[in-house]
Amino acid sequence: MQISEYDLFAYQLLHYLVVQQHYRIVRVQQHKDDLWLMNENHQVYPVIRISSSGNAGTFADTDYVRNVHRIILNLMHREGPMLILNTNPQSSPVHNAFLTQICITPSALSEPQLTSVFHGIDRVVHRVADPDKESSTLMAQVEEAELKQQQDFIKKARKKSIPRCTIAIMAICTIFLVLEYLLAYLDGNMESATVAVGGYYKMSIVAAHEYWRILSGGFVHNGVVHFVISLYALYATGKLCEQRLGRGWYLAVFLSSVILGNAAQLIAAPNGIATGMSAGIFGVAAAFLTSQLLSHTLRHPLLRIPLYNCMAILAVLALVPSVSFIACIAGILCGILYGLWMHGRQSESGMKQHACLALVLYAASLFAYGAAVDTVAPLDRHLDEAIIRVYRHTPLNAYAEYLQEHFHQQYEKTGGI
């Protein structure tokens, strides 16, 4: 079958963009002959459609183009305009905020500025003596380039799929658990060892001003069962969210949720010991879910299934007795604000500024109210003595004296037990 001249020009453009500009072909099931390409690393045009139809870019074509454009952008987790390269001279140039259509033929380029973005594209389209042979050669080279792209993509995907930050957090938690059992072995009391290694204990924070426990408490766990459930939930959440949120955002959401969750406990919960990173895990899940809901990415079944699995694991985590309900709620609220902030960065609305301001006010109010807490009813004087005794078994004897003095001052404030 004789290939049309306009289709040959389209194949020449396809060859140029795939082989030289490293675009990847996206096959749209409803239109198997449609040529769509994506390149998440291209700063100007992440999505390109190549067409040889005179109707491309018209009003009748708009809904179809918008839908495919949005799906491809969601696959890449980014925003950007789209470009239609049309080889049909009867097509009309289009330029608006949504798309740009440029007509390109051997004798004309409707937008000469395109050569500043794609160097040499004005020389790509040309007539040949044997169009069928030329198209077969071009498509063979495109298929070879596609195979190499797929191999490179699989290698990168495997490398990226390893949640490195999540594994680092798991390693830190493991170190804390080992230290916890070593201290428990020295003193014979697991509760005091949990506090001594860095667990959240309201008495220590208020009486001895150990505000660092608001962070360290997220890495300490109440025994092996809590440790295993918590780390399994963390890994499931990290595998789903770390790459999609980005490692920087993932760590920021996790640590902020842990800190604000324990700060909320300091304000609203009675004196007690709390352990685990549930606030951080729920915060990350809330940030991911919020950003994905706003970008309509959850329509994709490949994303929904692991999300449902992750939610089921989090439901089990929420039932663990040592998990704080107050901390989880505070972490979820923190994650929602982060999710709004992240989505606002990709849109033109003022959502980014409003979410950022809300997050700052939320954190500032928790810190201010938390710092104002200066009295706490003692939980168990024997526990406090056991904590001090644990430190006496280590080179931190001076610190044990410091704790004893400040615990005693707090007893006097509250009238003891």
Side-chain angles (χ1 to χ4, degrees):
M1 180 178 174
Q2 182 74 25
I3 187 171
S4 72
E5 187 177 60
Y6 300 155
D7 288 341
L8 173 64
F9 296 159
Y11 288 145
Q12 290 171 341
L13 286 172
L14 177 69
H15 178 270
Y16 165 79
L17 290 168
V18 171
V19 175
Q20 296 187 37
Q21 299 295 327
H22 309 295
Y23 276 80
R24 286 186 287 148
I25 298 174
V26 180
R27 288 175 173 81
V28 180
Q29 293 298 321
Q30 293 89 338
H31 298 262
K32 296 183 185 294
D33 297 329
D34 222 1
L35 299 177
W36 287 86
L37 302 102
M38 71 177 191
N39 184 347
E40 58 268 29
N41 298 318
H42 200 277
Q43 298 300 315
V44 184
Y45 296 114
V47 180
I48 296 179
R49 179 192 183 194
I50 302 173
S51 178
S52 58
S53 170
N55 294 325
T58 61
F59 179 77
D61 195 47
T62 300
D63 287 342
Y64 160 67
V65 170
R66 282 183 184 274
N67 290 334
V68 177
H69 178 225
R70 171 47 54 193
I71 291 170
I72 296 175
L73 287 178
N74 288 340
L75 287 173
M76 296 186 290
H77 306 290
R78 64 162 293 183
E79 296 295 322
M82 74 164 293
L83 172 67
I84 298 179
L85 295 175
N86 203 316
T87 59
N88 191 320
Q90 295 179 359
S91 62
S92 302
V94 178
H95 186 76
N96 56 46
F98 164 59
L99 67 85
T100 298
Q101 175 165 266
I102 295 175
C103 179
I104 179 168
T105 65
S107 58
L109 178 63
S110 62
E111 289 286 343
Q113 297 88 345
L114 187 65
T115 55
S116 63
V117 179
F118 298 107
H119 181 68
I121 196 170
D122 53 333
R123 299 187 297 274
V124 170
V125 173
H126 59 278
R127 294 181 174 87
V128 296
D130 190 345
D132 289 337
K133 182 180 179 181
E134 174 76 1
S135 64
S136 298
T137 303
L138 290 174
M139 294 312 295
Q141 293 176 357
V142 166
E143 287 177 6
E144 185 179 341
E146 266 196 294
L147 181 60
K148 187 177 183 305
Q149 284 179 352
Q150 288 172 2
Q151 292 171 346
D152 293 341
F153 177 77
I154 290 171
K155 288 179 183 177
K156 289 179 182 177
R158 284 177 178 169
K159 192 174 181 181
K160 283 184 177 180
S161 66
I162 301 173
R164 299 183 188 278
C165 292
T166 301
I167 292 172
I169 294 169
M170 293 170 72
I172 294 171
C173 291
T174 304
I175 293 170
F176 271 97
L177 187 71
V178 171
L179 291 174
E180 189 178 342
Y181 273 93
L182 283 174
L183 292 177
Y185 175 77
L186 291 173
D187 187 65
N189 188 318
M190 194 63 185
E191 262 193 334
S192 60
T194 300
V195 176
V197 82
Y200 171 94
Y201 182 38
K202 188 169 182 177
M203 182 69 172
S204 293
I205 296 171
V206 176
H209 311 295
E210 294 179 340
Y211 292 103
W212 49 268
R213 291 183 182 274
I214 289 175
L215 175 60
S216 67
F219 299 94
V220 180
H221 292 84
N222 186 22
V224 174
V225 175
H226 182 206
F227 172 81
V228 171
I229 295 174
S230 188
L231 261 64
Y232 184 66
L234 173 68
Y235 187 78
T237 307
K239 189 128 178 108
L240 175 67
C241 305
E242 183 176 319
Q243 181 187 347
R244 291 177 175 88
L245 293 180
R247 290 196 176 110
W249 283 103
Y250 175 80
L251 272 180
V253 176
F254 178 82
L255 295 176
S256 299
S257 299
V258 167
I259 291 170
L260 296 183
N262 284 332
Q265 279 197 101
L266 181 63
I267 299 166
N271 189 16
I273 299 172
T275 56
M277 60 182 82
S278 54
I281 297 172
F282 277 94
V284 168
F288 174 76
L289 189 59
T290 301
S291 62
Q292 299 304 308
L293 282 172
L294 291 173
S295 59
H296 307 291
T297 314
L298 292 180
R299 297 174 184 173
H300 204 291
L302 292 177
L303 191 58
R304 286 203 307 269
I305 293 171
L307 178 63
Y308 294 154
N309 293 336
C310 180
M311 292 297 140
I313 296 167
L314 292 182
V316 174
L317 177 63
L319 298 176
V320 176
S322 55
V323 169
S324 168
F325 178 76
I326 294 173
C328 289
I329 295 299
I332 288 171
L333 182 54
C334 176
I336 290 172
L337 293 175
Y338 264 109
L340 294 171
W341 184 3
M342 285 184 281
H343 180 74
R345 292 171 65 247
Q346 300 175 347
S347 64
E348 299 298 325
S349 66
M351 185 184 294
K352 172 185 173 182
Q353 291 78 12
H354 295 152
C356 183
L357 178 61
L359 184 62
V360 170
L361 291 174
Y362 175 51
S365 61
L366 286 180
F367 293 150
Y369 279 107
V373 178
D374 60 354
T375 57
V376 57
L379 180 67
D380 183 352
R381 197 158 189 164
H382 296 295
L383 172 63
D384 297 340
E385 290 170 357
I387 294 168
I388 294 168
R389 192 166 57 247
V390 169
Y391 285 119
R392 292 197 191 281
H393 288 298
T394 70
L396 299 173
N397 191 60
Y399 188 66
E401 297 292 339
Y402 168 84
L403 277 182
Q404 188 171 30
E405 178 187 347
H406 284 77
F407 281 176
H408 182 71
Q409 291 175 2
Q410 192 63 219
Y411 297 152
E412 291 180 343
K413 274 187 181 181
T414 57
I417 301 180

